[in-house]
Amino acid sequence: MSEASTVRDGEDQRVTESGLTREELLGEVQLLAAENARLRAQRESRVRRSYRRAAAGFFVLGVLAAVAALAVPESQTVLFSLAGVGLFVGVLTFWLTPSQVISAPVGDRVYSAYAATGRGLVTDLDLQETGVYVPAPTHTAEAADVRLFVPQARRFVVPKASELESLLVVGGDDRARGVSLVPTGAALLAAFEEGRGDPASTVEEFASQLADALVEGFELVDGATATVDPDGGAITIGIRGSSFGAVDRFDHPVGSFVAAALAAELDTPVRMETRAADDRRSEFVVDCRWGEVGE
């Protein structure tokens, strides 16, 4: 910032182009920082209050159902069940109230660094744009056992699970060479599996669970619509309002979670590709295919 010299009350002071001295400008910066901290704390408090209000609502529902069960003996079975559900969900919601809230722009910047690293690997090692999510040990407690394999050959084969434990996959078969990474979706999948209820009985039901998790569970997107072709071995999910920016980047959390979840659920490699949507209902599309995933 350029400065000009002026004399005020016999003292030499530096005045910025805005007409403020350095001391005055520093004071403005400190005020802005304090206001930013106040707004951040206010937002975190608002999120925590919303969780606690939801918990209180479930508590009230449980208590009312218990009272109604005492007043209406013929419906006690249903009402006591409803009371138990309300109280349990209330306790769960209260204890799951986040102590810290990370804004979407911060999360996007953290992911962007990882995406740039992945893009550099693809360019420098002359890898393909294809990502294959393979059931394989990660040896990481916080992540599900799924690896992301990025092949080098256009006509590739999926390596064995044991070969995916190393970053660089350089086995005897040239078609199975590439890199193996712990995908961003593996950590999300671990959290999804911990909080998941009854297992899905069909691929369509599982796809619906994944779409709900993207929107309600992780709040990664504003909207997700799943289309399933079980006979063709494919799931397509239309994405709207991604919290982490463009979904068509390297191992984006949205597509990575869907592909990793499918690979773990079906116990088979899943090929995932993302692209911009060609209709107004969605902004991006995540295509996942299993079965014959090699070229």
Side-chain angles (χ1 to χ4, degrees):
M1 183 179 291
S2 61
E3 297 179 341
S5 180
T6 186
V7 176
R8 181 181 299 173
D9 296 331
E11 296 181 358
D12 184 29
Q13 300 188 26
R14 296 288 180 182
V15 180
T16 65
E17 290 181 345
S18 63
L20 299 175
T21 65
R22 282 195 172 201
E23 290 76 11
E24 291 171 336
L25 188 59
L26 180 60
E28 291 289 335
V29 171
Q30 291 174 339
L31 286 175
L32 288 174
E35 178 65 11
N36 188 42
R38 185 189 69 81
L39 291 174
R40 188 184 303 113
Q42 187 180 62
R43 177 178 178 274
E44 292 178 358
S45 177
R46 185 164 58 247
V47 171
R48 284 192 291 269
R49 283 200 304 270
S50 68
Y51 271 76
R52 288 167 182 164
R53 281 197 298 268
F58 283 117
F59 276 126
V60 171
L61 175 63
V63 172
L64 290 177
V67 172
L70 296 176
V72 187
E74 60 271 19
S75 301
Q76 280 187 346
T77 302
V78 174
L79 291 172
F80 274 130
S81 299
L82 184 60
V85 170
L87 293 173
F88 173 75
V89 174
V91 171
L92 190 64
T93 303
F94 180 82
W95 285 109
L96 290 180
T97 299
S99 58
Q100 289 184 317
V101 180
I102 300 176
S103 64
V106 172
D108 183 29
R109 287 168 187 159
V110 172
Y111 160 71
S112 294
Y114 168 78
T117 301
R119 173 52 52 189
L121 280 173
V122 171
T123 301
D124 293 346
L125 299 180
D126 193 24
L127 303 176
Q128 301 299 312
E129 299 291 331
T130 299
V132 181
Y133 295 77
V134 187
T138 61
H139 304 295
T140 303
E142 296 79 11
D145 287 339
V146 177
R147 301 284 291 198
L148 166 59
F149 172 64
V150 186
Q152 188 175 52
R154 187 175 67 83
R155 291 185 172 275
F156 65 92
V157 295
V158 178
K160 298 177 181 178
S162 59
E163 297 176 329
L164 293 171
E165 296 184 9
S166 300
L167 172 63
L168 299 178
V169 183
V170 289
D173 192 339
D174 291 345
R175 297 175 301 165
R177 294 186 175 183
V179 298
S180 172
L181 307 169
V182 177
T184 59
L188 295 174
L189 175 56
F192 169 74
E193 290 177 341
E194 287 179 2
R196 184 181 173 190
D198 295 332
S201 57
T202 63
V203 177
E204 290 86 353
E205 185 180 348
F206 187 63
S208 179
Q209 290 179 353
L210 295 180
D212 289 342
L214 288 173
V215 179
E216 303 294 341
F218 300 123
E219 298 183 355
L220 290 175
V221 301
D222 293 335
T225 305
T227 303
V228 182
D229 179 11
D231 296 331
I235 286 180
T236 300
I237 298 186
I239 301 299
R240 184 178 68 257
S242 168
S243 299
F244 280 20
V247 176
D248 56 352
R249 289 180 287 173
F250 181 84
D251 193 36
H252 191 281
V254 170
S256 184
F257 164 68
V258 173
L262 282 170
E265 179 75 6
L266 303 176
D267 193 27
T268 189
V270 172
R271 178 174 176 170
M272 189 272 291
E273 295 178 348
T274 54
R275 55 182 170 81
D278 53 7
D279 58 58
R280 295 183 178 181
R281 293 175 297 175
S282 304
E283 296 171 354
F284 294 93
V285 173
V286 176
D287 285 321
C288 293
R289 297 183 178 274
W290 58 93
E292 296 295 329
V293 299
E295 293 287 347

